Amino acid sequence: MTLADIRRDYSGEPLSERESDPDPFAQFIRWFEQIRDHESDPTAFALATATREGRPSVRTVLLKEVDARGFVFYTNYNSRKAREMAETGRASLLFYWPSLVRQVRVEGVVEQVSAEESDAYFAVRPVESRWGVYASDQSQVIESRAVLESRYDLARQTYGDTIPRPQWWGGYRVVPEEFEFWQGRPSRLHDRLRYRRQDDGAWQRDRLAP
């Protein structure tokens, strides 16, 4: 069997203009509630960024909040993705939920969340994850695994259970300008509904050919 022989037909539920919500945030929440108990990592999404020169990169991160303002995740402000978002002010997200053969793509502008929001989230992270923030100089070259573990032990000994949020770590919010909801259908005739924000704040919904 070759790679070209690996295939399956998709048999998802129809996604129609009549039944989808005119508000893309409401549609996202509707789909998320339907899949959250079927996926092992329902909040995981691919985050795509690029340099000012257009060199792209992508990685998986976890969604921590979504509301009418946008999609929030947290990271090191000195990481590669943070540097690229600082250069362009933009990012794209892709959620893939194979249990119901669905994808959601989001494009938008990026802003840092407030220090108060970052403090509140950092405070409820597992203590081990908070020590890990101090141990990892994210995206930088490190000599060995042993060095990482020694930094982790140092953070644990230094802070104990009282761990302040470092100023170089916090949240980002992607403020959507465009959504696309993709539903896998038989014969590759997938349903694709795109929402684009208009100048007056309203959302225009279109159907795209698969």
Side-chain angles (χ1 to χ4, degrees), residues 47-73:
L47 171 70
T49 58
T51 64
R52 188 179 294 108
E53 293 76 26
R55 181 176 180 177
S57 63
V58 65
R59 76 289 289 161
T60 300
V61 298
L62 301 179
L63 180 69
K64 292 304 177 183
E65 183 182 354
V66 58
D67 56 26
R69 296 175 297 170
F71 294 77
V72 175
F73 63 94

Side-chain angles (χ1 to χ4, degrees), residues 42-109:
T43 65
F45 65 91
L47 171 70
T49 58
T51 64
R52 188 179 294 108
E53 293 76 26
R55 181 176 180 177
S57 63
V58 65
R59 76 289 289 161
T60 300
V61 298
L62 301 179
L63 180 69
K64 292 304 177 183
E65 183 182 354
V66 58
D67 56 26
R69 296 175 297 170
F71 294 77
V72 175
F73 63 94
Y74 290 84
T75 191
N76 187 310
Y77 288 151
N78 298 318
S79 64
R80 177 177 178 179
K81 55 185 171 294
R83 296 195 303 269
E84 292 179 355
M85 289 187 294
E87 287 188 15
T88 67
R90 304 191 63 82
S92 183
L93 324 179
L94 177 67
F95 296 85
Y96 175 53
W97 298 317
S99 61
L100 295 180
V101 199
R102 291 174 176 174
Q103 296 183 80
V104 182
R105 184 178 58 79
V106 180
E107 295 180 14
V109 297

Side-chain angles (χ1 to χ4, degrees), residues 24 27 44 49-50 77 98 131 137-138 142 154 161 168 170 175 206 208:
Q27 180 63 33
T49 58
Y77 288 151
W131 291 330
D137 191 6
Q138 194 175 93
I142 189 170
L154 178 61
D161 293 337
W168 36 261
V175 181
D206 302 300
L208 303 179

Side-chain angles (χ1 to χ4, degrees), residues 115-185:
E116 291 75 16
E117 289 174 279
S118 290
D119 287 342
Y121 173 68
F122 190 79
V124 300
R125 298 187 88 208
V127 65
E128 295 83 1
S129 297
R130 285 179 278 163
W131 291 330
V133 166
Y134 281 91
S136 175
D137 191 6
Q138 194 175 93
S139 300
Q140 303 303 311
V141 173
I142 189 170
E143 295 87 341
S144 66
R145 174 78 188 188
V147 169
L148 181 66
E149 292 177 352
S150 68
R151 291 177 180 175
Y152 181 86
D153 289 340
L154 178 61
R156 179 170 53 82
Q157 295 166 10
T158 300
Y159 296 107
D161 293 337
T162 305
I163 313 165
R165 178 183 66 88
Q167 295 304 302
W168 36 261
W169 189 96
Y172 287 96
R173 178 177 289 107
V174 178
V175 181
E177 296 176 338
E178 181 174 314
F179 286 77
E180 183 190 321
F181 294 85
W182 180 97
Q183 174 67 69
R185 299 293 306 282

